[in-house]
Amino acid sequence: MPDEQMANSGGQPATAAGPPPPSAPPSPAARPLDTIDRSILRMLQTDGRASIRSVAERVHVSRANAYARINRLIDDGVIRGFSALIDQERAGQGASAYITLKIVQNSWRTVRKQLTALPGATHIALVSGDFDVLLLVHTKDNRELRELVLTRIQSIPEVLSTRTLLVFEETDLGPEEE
């Protein structure tokens, strides 16, 4: 399979941040990454559809070595999945916002489950500071955003308060060039 695309190989996409559920087995200890592993990761972050052959040529290893390293990075959970970068405006999602939430203490798992089901939610993080949760959403327009915040999010019983920060412009930052 040396020249196959890797766009659909790999694990499930990451969901919300946070510790694993209590019943999940403990994560294996992190294995140190060498310079070749780091180069492979940078290349795949730039082009998740890169072929095994092009990865091997770029990092100066055999195709078998590149294939084995990528599979190890996937198996070890370093690579959590492969995805497409979306231009939200071109995809009909013209309004973006970060929403901060204060939640009832110890309700993170319950709230996270409800937030992941929201349409347009793309990133959820449990954070420290003046609020507890940071949520990134993309909606068709401000009317849909208003409905999402006022009707859906604020109706979650464990949500104590929200603050909405409109995004005027976004720039995805890729890996640093070598």
Side-chain angles (χ1 to χ4, degrees), residues 39-158:
S39 293
I40 290 170
L41 291 174
R42 276 193 304 275
M43 186 174 180
L44 292 176
Q45 282 180 300
T46 302
D47 180 7
R49 296 179 62 186
S51 68
I52 297 287
R53 178 188 307 233
S54 65
V55 170
E57 288 172 357
R58 176 98 184 263
V59 300
H60 309 291
V61 297
S62 70
R63 285 183 288 188
N65 189 332
Y67 182 76
R69 282 176 178 268
I70 291 168
N71 280 336
R72 179 179 49 83
L73 291 167
I74 291 168
D75 292 344
D76 287 353
V78 175
I79 296 175
R80 299 183 302 180
F82 296 86
S83 63
L85 296 175
I86 309 295
D87 182 317
Q88 295 297 334
E89 282 191 59
R90 293 184 69 117
Q93 303 293 89
S96 297
Y98 284 96
I99 303 168
T100 65
L101 295 84
K102 287 186 182 181
I103 61 174
V104 172
Q105 188 172 8
N106 297 323
S107 65
W108 165 239
R109 287 181 181 85
T110 302
V111 172
R112 176 181 57 193
K113 184 177 181 180
Q114 294 175 74
L115 294 176
T116 58
L118 292 175
T122 60
H123 184 85
I124 303 168
L126 178 66
V127 297
S128 65
D130 294 336
F131 47 88
D132 304 305
V133 178
L134 183 63
L135 170 67
L136 174 60
V137 297
H138 302 284
T139 60
K140 182 177 81 173
D141 54 27
N142 283 344
R143 182 180 309 266
E144 193 174 288
L145 175 62
R146 178 179 171 271
E147 181 70 18
L148 182 72
V149 174
L150 297 180
T151 303
R152 302 284 301 270
I153 296 172
Q154 290 184 356
S155 70
I156 298 170
E158 297 85 359

